[in-house]
PDB file of all heavy atoms in Angstrom:
ATOM      1  N   ILE A   1     -10.274  11.345  -3.479  1.00 91.00           N
ATOM      2  CA  ILE A   1      -9.203  10.411  -3.182  1.00 91.00           C
ATOM      3  C   ILE A   1      -8.966   9.523  -4.391  1.00 91.00           C
ATOM      4  O   ILE A   1      -9.897   8.929  -4.931  1.00 91.00           O
ATOM      5  CB  ILE A   1      -9.535   9.570  -1.942  1.00 91.00           C
ATOM      6  CG1 ILE A   1      -9.534  10.452  -0.701  1.00 91.00           C
ATOM      7  CG2 ILE A   1      -8.536   8.420  -1.790  1.00 91.00           C
ATOM      8  CD1 ILE A   1      -9.911   9.734   0.577  1.00 91.00           C
ATOM      9  N   ASN A   2      -7.724   9.453  -4.802  1.00 92.00           N
ATOM     10  CA  ASN A   2      -7.360   8.636  -5.952  1.00 92.00           C
ATOM     11  C   ASN A   2      -7.054   7.194  -5.548  1.00 92.00           C
ATOM     12  O   ASN A   2      -7.410   6.255  -6.261  1.00 92.00           O
ATOM     13  CB  ASN A   2      -6.159   9.248  -6.668  1.00 92.00           C
ATOM     14  CG  ASN A   2      -6.400  10.690  -7.040  1.00 92.00           C
ATOM     15  OD1 ASN A   2      -7.405  11.033  -7.662  1.00 92.00           O
ATOM     16  ND2 ASN A   2      -5.482  11.565  -6.644  1.00 92.00           N
ATOM     17  N   ALA A   3      -6.375   7.055  -4.414  1.00 95.00           N
ATOM     18  CA  ALA A   3      -6.048   5.730  -3.919  1.00 95.00           C
ATOM     19  C   ALA A   3      -5.654   5.840  -2.458  1.00 95.00           C
ATOM     20  O   ALA A   3      -5.183   6.884  -1.999  1.00 95.00           O
ATOM     21  CB  ALA A   3      -4.910   5.098  -4.719  1.00 95.00           C
ATOM     22  N   MET A   4      -5.842   4.758  -1.736  1.00 96.00           N
ATOM     23  CA  MET A   4      -5.387   4.668  -0.362  1.00 96.00           C
ATOM     24  C   MET A   4      -4.691   3.329  -0.189  1.00 96.00           C
ATOM     25  O   MET A   4      -5.107   2.333  -0.779  1.00 96.00           O
ATOM     26  CB  MET A   4      -6.540   4.792   0.634  1.00 96.00           C
ATOM     27  CG  MET A   4      -7.323   6.086   0.512  1.00 96.00           C
ATOM     28  SD  MET A   4      -8.637   6.268   1.758  1.00 96.00           S
ATOM     29  CE  MET A   4      -7.662   6.795   3.182  1.00 96.00           C
ATOM     30  N   GLY A   5      -3.651   3.326   0.601  1.00 97.00           N
ATOM     31  CA  GLY A   5      -2.904   2.094   0.751  1.00 97.00           C
ATOM     32  C   GLY A   5      -2.221   1.958   2.090  1.00 97.00           C
ATOM     33  O   GLY A   5      -2.205   2.888   2.902  1.00 97.00           O
ATOM     34  N   TRP A   6      -1.678   0.774   2.285  1.00 98.00           N
ATOM     35  CA  TRP A   6      -0.913   0.449   3.475  1.00 98.00           C
ATOM     36  C   TRP A   6       0.476   0.001   3.072  1.00 98.00           C
ATOM     37  O   TRP A   6       0.634  -0.797   2.139  1.00 98.00           O
ATOM     38  CB  TRP A   6      -1.593  -0.657   4.287  1.00 98.00           C
ATOM     39  CG  TRP A   6      -2.861  -0.215   4.937  1.00 98.00           C
ATOM     40  CD1 TRP A   6      -4.124  -0.347   4.468  1.00 98.00           C
ATOM     41  CD2 TRP A   6      -2.969   0.443   6.209  1.00 98.00           C
ATOM     42  NE1 TRP A   6      -5.030   0.185   5.358  1.00 98.00           N
ATOM     43  CE2 TRP A   6      -4.344   0.678   6.437  1.00 98.00           C
ATOM     44  CE3 TRP A   6      -2.049   0.861   7.168  1.00 98.00           C
ATOM     45  CZ2 TRP A   6      -4.811   1.310   7.590  1.00 98.00           C
ATOM     46  CZ3 TRP A   6      -2.522   1.492   8.308  1.00 98.00           C
ATOM     47  CH2 TRP A   6      -3.886   1.697   8.501  1.00 98.00           C
ATOM     48  N   TYR A   7       1.470   0.505   3.779  1.00 97.00           N
ATOM     49  CA  TYR A   7       2.862   0.181   3.534  1.00 97.00           C
ATOM     50  C   TYR A   7       3.500  -0.291   4.825  1.00 97.00           C
ATOM     51  O   TYR A   7       3.151   0.175   5.906  1.00 97.00           O
ATOM     52  CB  TYR A   7       3.622   1.399   3.010  1.00 97.00           C
ATOM     53  CG  TYR A   7       3.158   1.885   1.653  1.00 97.00           C
ATOM     54  CD1 TYR A   7       1.952   2.564   1.505  1.00 97.00           C
ATOM     55  CD2 TYR A   7       3.929   1.662   0.519  1.00 97.00           C
ATOM     56  CE1 TYR A   7       1.523   3.012   0.264  1.00 97.00           C
ATOM     57  CE2 TYR A   7       3.511   2.114  -0.726  1.00 97.00           C
ATOM     58  CZ  TYR A   7       2.308   2.788  -0.839  1.00 97.00           C
ATOM     59  OH  TYR A   7       1.896   3.226  -2.077  1.00 97.00           O
ATOM     60  N   ARG A   8       4.444  -1.200   4.693  1.00 97.00           N
ATOM     61  CA  ARG A   8       5.179  -1.711   5.838  1.00 97.00           C
ATOM     62  C   ARG A   8       6.635  -1.293   5.714  1.00 97.00           C
ATOM     63  O   ARG A   8       7.238  -1.436   4.647  1.00 97.00           O
ATOM     64  CB  ARG A   8       5.060  -3.231   5.941  1.00 97.00           C
ATOM     65  CG  ARG A   8       5.820  -3.836   7.122  1.00 97.00           C
ATOM     66  CD  ARG A   8       5.508  -5.325   7.294  1.00 97.00           C
ATOM     67  NE  ARG A   8       5.862  -6.094   6.117  1.00 97.00           N
ATOM     68  CZ  ARG A   8       5.006  -6.864   5.444  1.00 97.00           C
ATOM     69  NH1 ARG A   8       3.744  -6.978   5.848  1.00 97.00           N
ATOM     70  NH2 ARG A   8       5.421  -7.532   4.372  1.00 97.00           N
ATOM     71  N   LEU A   9       7.194  -0.804   6.801  1.00 94.00           N
ATOM     72  CA  LEU A   9       8.576  -0.383   6.815  1.00 94.00           C
ATOM     73  C   LEU A   9       9.476  -1.598   6.921  1.00 94.00           C
ATOM     74  O   LEU A   9       9.433  -2.321   7.917  1.00 94.00           O
ATOM     75  CB  LEU A   9       8.838   0.580   7.968  1.00 94.00           C
ATOM     76  CG  LEU A   9      10.280   1.068   8.120  1.00 94.00           C
ATOM     77  CD1 LEU A   9      10.703   1.857   6.891  1.00 94.00           C
ATOM     78  CD2 LEU A   9      10.421   1.913   9.374  1.00 94.00           C
ATOM     79  N   ALA A  10      10.273  -1.814   5.899  1.00 73.00           N
ATOM     80  CA  ALA A  10      11.240  -2.901   5.911  1.00 73.00           C
ATOM     81  C   ALA A  10      12.520  -2.425   6.582  1.00 73.00           C
ATOM     82  O   ALA A  10      12.970  -1.301   6.338  1.00 73.00           O
ATOM     83  CB  ALA A  10      11.533  -3.370   4.487  1.00 73.00           C
ATOM     84  N   PRO A  11      13.115  -3.265   7.421  1.00 73.00           N
ATOM     85  CA  PRO A  11      14.337  -2.854   8.109  1.00 73.00           C
ATOM     86  C   PRO A  11      15.429  -2.402   7.153  1.00 73.00           C
ATOM     87  O   PRO A  11      15.777  -3.127   6.216  1.00 73.00           O
ATOM     88  CB  PRO A  11      14.755  -4.114   8.870  1.00 73.00           C
ATOM     89  CG  PRO A  11      13.486  -4.880   9.058  1.00 73.00           C
ATOM     90  CD  PRO A  11      12.690  -4.615   7.819  1.00 73.00           C
ATOM     91  N   GLY A  12      15.941  -1.210   7.382  1.00 73.00           N
ATOM     92  CA  GLY A  12      17.020  -0.683   6.578  1.00 73.00           C
ATOM     93  C   GLY A  12      16.667  -0.357   5.143  1.00 73.00           C
ATOM     94  O   GLY A  12      17.562  -0.172   4.312  1.00 73.00           O
ATOM     95  N   ALA A  13      15.386  -0.288   4.843  1.00 72.00           N
ATOM     96  CA  ALA A  13      14.962  -0.054   3.473  1.00 72.00           C
ATOM     97  C   ALA A  13      13.778   0.901   3.435  1.00 72.00           C
ATOM     98  O   ALA A  13      13.415   1.524   4.432  1.00 72.00           O
ATOM     99  CB  ALA A  13      14.623  -1.372   2.791  1.00 72.00           C
ATOM    100  N   GLN A  14      13.183   1.009   2.274  1.00 79.00           N
ATOM    101  CA  GLN A  14      12.029   1.861   2.094  1.00 79.00           C
ATOM    102  C   GLN A  14      10.760   1.146   2.533  1.00 79.00           C
ATOM    103  O   GLN A  14      10.766  -0.059   2.790  1.00 79.00           O
ATOM    104  CB  GLN A  14      11.914   2.282   0.628  1.00 79.00           C
ATOM    105  CG  GLN A  14      11.620   1.131  -0.326  1.00 79.00           C
ATOM    106  CD  GLN A  14      11.620   1.554  -1.770  1.00 79.00           C
ATOM    107  OE1 GLN A  14      12.527   2.251  -2.219  1.00 79.00           O
ATOM    108  NE2 GLN A  14      10.603   1.138  -2.513  1.00 79.00           N
ATOM    109  N   ARG A  15       9.709   1.886   2.594  1.00 86.00           N
ATOM    110  CA  ARG A  15       8.410   1.310   2.909  1.00 86.00           C
ATOM    111  C   ARG A  15       7.878   0.539   1.709  1.00 86.00           C
ATOM    112  O   ARG A  15       7.794   1.066   0.602  1.00 86.00           O
ATOM    113  CB  ARG A  15       7.438   2.412   3.326  1.00 86.00           C
ATOM    114  CG  ARG A  15       7.668   2.929   4.734  1.00 86.00           C
ATOM    115  CD  ARG A  15       6.796   4.114   5.070  1.00 86.00           C
ATOM    116  NE  ARG A  15       7.297   5.341   4.458  1.00 86.00           N
ATOM    117  CZ  ARG A  15       6.954   6.560   4.838  1.00 86.00           C
ATOM    118  NH1 ARG A  15       6.102   6.723   5.850  1.00 86.00           N
ATOM    119  NH2 ARG A  15       7.452   7.617   4.223  1.00 86.00           N
ATOM    120  N   ASP A  16       7.523  -0.709   1.953  1.00 94.00           N
ATOM    121  CA  ASP A  16       7.021  -1.586   0.900  1.00 94.00           C
ATOM    122  C   ASP A  16       5.506  -1.610   0.903  1.00 94.00           C
ATOM    123  O   ASP A  16       4.870  -1.626   1.958  1.00 94.00           O
ATOM    124  CB  ASP A  16       7.544  -3.012   1.070  1.00 94.00           C
ATOM    125  CG  ASP A  16       9.041  -3.113   0.883  1.00 94.00           C
ATOM    126  OD1 ASP A  16       9.593  -2.389   0.039  1.00 94.00           O
ATOM    127  OD2 ASP A  16       9.670  -3.940   1.585  1.00 94.00           O
ATOM    128  N   LEU A  17       4.942  -1.645  -0.280  1.00 96.00           N
ATOM    129  CA  LEU A  17       3.491  -1.706  -0.410  1.00 96.00           C
ATOM    130  C   LEU A  17       2.961  -3.037   0.103  1.00 96.00           C
ATOM    131  O   LEU A  17       3.452  -4.093  -0.280  1.00 96.00           O
ATOM    132  CB  LEU A  17       3.086  -1.510  -1.871  1.00 96.00           C
ATOM    133  CG  LEU A  17       1.596  -1.607  -2.166  1.00 96.00           C
ATOM    134  CD1 LEU A  17       0.847  -0.446  -1.515  1.00 96.00           C
ATOM    135  CD2 LEU A  17       1.338  -1.637  -3.666  1.00 96.00           C
ATOM    136  N   VAL A  18       1.964  -2.965   0.949  1.00 98.00           N
ATOM    137  CA  VAL A  18       1.272  -4.147   1.450  1.00 98.00           C
ATOM    138  C   VAL A  18      -0.050  -4.331   0.715  1.00 98.00           C
ATOM    139  O   VAL A  18      -0.365  -5.426   0.251  1.00 98.00           O
ATOM    140  CB  VAL A  18       1.031  -4.056   2.965  1.00 98.00           C
ATOM    141  CG1 VAL A  18       0.214  -5.240   3.455  1.00 98.00           C
ATOM    142  CG2 VAL A  18       2.357  -3.973   3.706  1.00 98.00           C
ATOM    143  N   ALA A  19      -0.829  -3.271   0.627  1.00 98.00           N
ATOM    144  CA  ALA A  19      -2.121  -3.342  -0.032  1.00 98.00           C
ATOM    145  C   ALA A  19      -2.524  -1.954  -0.489  1.00 98.00           C
ATOM    146  O   ALA A  19      -2.188  -0.958   0.137  1.00 98.00           O
ATOM    147  CB  ALA A  19      -3.196  -3.916   0.903  1.00 98.00           C
ATOM    148  N   LEU A  20      -3.259  -1.909  -1.580  1.00 98.00           N
ATOM    149  CA  LEU A  20      -3.693  -0.650  -2.163  1.00 98.00           C
ATOM    150  C   LEU A  20      -5.105  -0.797  -2.690  1.00 98.00           C
ATOM    151  O   LEU A  20      -5.448  -1.837  -3.257  1.00 98.00           O
ATOM    152  CB  LEU A  20      -2.753  -0.239  -3.303  1.00 98.00           C
ATOM    153  CG  LEU A  20      -3.013   1.090  -4.012  1.00 98.00           C
ATOM    154  CD1 LEU A  20      -2.606   2.251  -3.112  1.00 98.00           C
ATOM    155  CD2 LEU A  20      -2.261   1.152  -5.333  1.00 98.00           C
ATOM    156  N   ILE A  21      -5.898   0.235  -2.533  1.00 97.00           N
ATOM    157  CA  ILE A  21      -7.231   0.250  -3.110  1.00 97.00           C
ATOM    158  C   ILE A  21      -7.394   1.549  -3.879  1.00 97.00           C
ATOM    159  O   ILE A  21      -7.110   2.635  -3.376  1.00 97.00           O
ATOM    160  CB  ILE A  21      -8.330   0.058  -2.039  1.00 97.00           C
ATOM    161  CG1 ILE A  21      -9.703  -0.054  -2.704  1.00 97.00           C
ATOM    162  CG2 ILE A  21      -8.299   1.161  -0.999  1.00 97.00           C
ATOM    163  CD1 ILE A  21     -10.774  -0.594  -1.757  1.00 97.00           C
ATOM    164  N   SER A  22      -7.831   1.440  -5.112  1.00 95.00           N
ATOM    165  CA  SER A  22      -7.970   2.589  -5.984  1.00 95.00           C
ATOM    166  C   SER A  22      -9.327   3.237  -5.808  1.00 95.00           C
ATOM    167  O   SER A  22     -10.211   2.722  -5.124  1.00 95.00           O
ATOM    168  CB  SER A  22      -7.771   2.171  -7.442  1.00 95.00           C
ATOM    169  OG  SER A  22      -8.878   1.418  -7.902  1.00 95.00           O
ATOM    170  N   SER A  23      -9.492   4.376  -6.464  1.00 90.00           N
ATOM    171  CA  SER A  23     -10.774   5.073  -6.404  1.00 90.00           C
ATOM    172  C   SER A  23     -11.902   4.237  -6.976  1.00 90.00           C
ATOM    173  O   SER A  23     -13.056   4.382  -6.555  1.00 90.00           O
ATOM    174  CB  SER A  23     -10.681   6.406  -7.151  1.00 90.00           C
ATOM    175  OG  SER A  23     -10.357   6.209  -8.520  1.00 90.00           O
ATOM    176  N   GLY A  24     -11.573   3.372  -7.924  1.00 91.00           N
ATOM    177  CA  GLY A  24     -12.563   2.504  -8.516  1.00 91.00           C
ATOM    178  C   GLY A  24     -12.834   1.232  -7.732  1.00 91.00           C
ATOM    179  O   GLY A  24     -13.701   0.451  -8.118  1.00 91.00           O
ATOM    180  N   GLY A  25     -12.082   1.025  -6.668  1.00 93.00           N
ATOM    181  CA  GLY A  25     -12.297  -0.133  -5.820  1.00 93.00           C
ATOM    182  C   GLY A  25     -11.413  -1.324  -6.116  1.00 93.00           C
ATOM    183  O   GLY A  25     -11.510  -2.340  -5.423  1.00 93.00           O
ATOM    184  N   SER A  26     -10.569  -1.228  -7.128  1.00 96.00           N
ATOM    185  CA  SER A  26      -9.664  -2.329  -7.407  1.00 96.00           C
ATOM    186  C   SER A  26      -8.585  -2.400  -6.336  1.00 96.00           C
ATOM    187  O   SER A  26      -8.174  -1.380  -5.784  1.00 96.00           O
ATOM    188  CB  SER A  26      -9.039  -2.189  -8.789  1.00 96.00           C
ATOM    189  OG  SER A  26      -8.255  -1.000  -8.869  1.00 96.00           O
ATOM    190  N   THR A  27      -8.132  -3.599  -6.055  1.00 98.00           N
ATOM    191  CA  THR A  27      -7.169  -3.804  -4.975  1.00 98.00           C
ATOM    192  C   THR A  27      -5.907  -4.474  -5.481  1.00 98.00           C
ATOM    193  O   THR A  27      -5.930  -5.229  -6.455  1.00 98.00           O
ATOM    194  CB  THR A  27      -7.773  -4.652  -3.847  1.00 98.00           C
ATOM    195  OG1 THR A  27      -8.229  -5.904  -4.376  1.00 98.00           O
ATOM    196  CG2 THR A  27      -8.944  -3.926  -3.209  1.00 98.00           C
ATOM    197  N   THR A  28      -4.829  -4.180  -4.798  1.00 98.00           N
ATOM    198  CA  THR A  28      -3.535  -4.771  -5.075  1.00 98.00           C
ATOM    199  C   THR A  28      -2.919  -5.207  -3.757  1.00 98.00           C
ATOM    200  O   THR A  28      -2.981  -4.467  -2.773  1.00 98.00           O
ATOM    201  CB  THR A  28      -2.603  -3.771  -5.776  1.00 98.00           C
ATOM    202  OG1 THR A  28      -3.195  -3.336  -7.008  1.00 98.00           O
ATOM    203  CG2 THR A  28      -1.251  -4.407  -6.088  1.00 98.00           C
ATOM    204  N   TYR A  29      -2.323  -6.400  -3.747  1.00 98.00           N
ATOM    205  CA  TYR A  29      -1.704  -6.918  -2.542  1.00 98.00           C
ATOM    206  C   TYR A  29      -0.295  -7.401  -2.826  1.00 98.00           C
ATOM    207  O   TYR A  29      -0.006  -7.910  -3.916  1.00 98.00           O
ATOM    208  CB  TYR A  29      -2.500  -8.093  -1.968  1.00 98.00           C
ATOM    209  CG  TYR A  29      -3.885  -7.754  -1.502  1.00 98.00           C
ATOM    210  CD1 TYR A  29      -4.976  -7.915  -2.342  1.00 98.00           C
ATOM    211  CD2 TYR A  29      -4.099  -7.276  -0.217  1.00 98.00           C
ATOM    212  CE1 TYR A  29      -6.258  -7.602  -1.920  1.00 98.00           C
ATOM    213  CE2 TYR A  29      -5.370  -6.963   0.220  1.00 98.00           C
ATOM    214  CZ  TYR A  29      -6.454  -7.124  -0.636  1.00 98.00           C
ATOM    215  OH  TYR A  29      -7.711  -6.810  -0.202  1.00 98.00           O
ATOM    216  N   ALA A  30       0.557  -7.254  -1.836  1.00 97.00           N
ATOM    217  CA  ALA A  30       1.840  -7.908  -1.905  1.00 97.00           C
ATOM    218  C   ALA A  30       1.628  -9.414  -1.890  1.00 97.00           C
ATOM    219  O   ALA A  30       0.712  -9.917  -1.231  1.00 97.00           O
ATOM    220  CB  ALA A  30       2.717  -7.494  -0.731  1.00 97.00           C
TER     221      ALA A  30
END
């Protein structure tokens, strides 16, 4: 696994990134 994340569906738009965790454990948040 390279990365796993969570996305939220915005009304009338694309899915926006909420949070992501990489294979190395680094995290990214909206």
Side-chain angles (χ1 to χ4, degrees):
I1 292 177
N2 306 308
M4 301 183 80
W6 290 95
Y7 295 74
R8 179 172 60 236
L9 178 62
Q14 66 184 47
R15 284 174 283 198
D16 294 325
L17 178 67
V18 175
L20 182 74
I21 185 165
S22 72
S23 61
S26 62
T27 57
T28 301
Y29 296 94

